[in-house]
């Protein structure tokens, strides 16, 4: 095993994989608390790294409408998570 600052690369990779799994789980839990539209928007844009323009096109919405929906969702999440 190679070592980086006293930790093996394998251990470092294992920690990164665990953090990624935990993040995905928490994101899914958050999405389930939202409306279907907002939850899907959150998952597609954040988890799946889909650009808003592609999501808008897939849903048959204008990019402007999608951008407004994303900004509204961001404000909602900021309010809820900053409590």
């Amino acid at each position: 095993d190679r070592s980086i600052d006293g930790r093996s690369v394998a251990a470092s990779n294992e920690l990164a994989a665990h953090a990624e799994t935990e993040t995905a789980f928490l994101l899914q839990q958050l999405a389930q608390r939202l409306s279907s539209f907002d939850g899907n928007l959150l998952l597609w844009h954040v988890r799946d790294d889909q650009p808003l323009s592609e999501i808008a096109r897939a849903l048959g919405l204008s990019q402007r409408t999608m951008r407004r929906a994303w900004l509204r969702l961001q404000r909602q999440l900021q309010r809820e998570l900053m409590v």
Side-chain angles (χ1 to χ4, degrees), residues 72-83:
R72 177 190 47 75
L73 177 56
Q74 284 181 311
R75 286 190 304 272
Q76 176 186 345
L77 292 174
Q78 286 172 345
R79 283 191 306 269
E80 289 183 22
L81 296 175
M82 295 300 175
V83 174

Side-chain angles (χ1 to χ4, degrees), residues 7 9-11 14 16 38 40 45-46 60 63 66 68:
R7 295 185 312 196
V9 172
E14 185 178 319
D38 287 349
N40 285 329
H45 191 51
V46 176
Q63 289 186 26
M66 186 55 57
R68 284 191 312 236

Side-chain angles (χ1 to χ4, degrees), residues 2 5 7 10 15 20 22 24 27-28 33-36 43 47 49 51 53-54 59 63 73-74 77 79 81-83:
R2 291 182 297 159
D5 295 335
R7 295 185 312 196
L15 286 173
E20 187 174 321
E22 182 70 16
L27 187 62
Q28 183 69 40
R33 293 177 40 200
L34 303 169
S35 71
S36 178
L43 292 175
R47 181 195 64 198
D49 200 28
S53 59
E54 288 184 23
L59 296 177
Q63 289 186 26
L73 177 56
Q74 284 181 311
L77 292 174
R79 283 191 306 269
L81 296 175
M82 295 300 175
V83 174

Side-chain angles (χ1 to χ4, degrees), residues 59-70:
L59 296 177
L61 300 172
S62 71
Q63 289 186 26
R64 183 177 181 206
T65 296
M66 186 55 57
R67 179 76 179 148
R68 284 191 312 236
W70 178 248

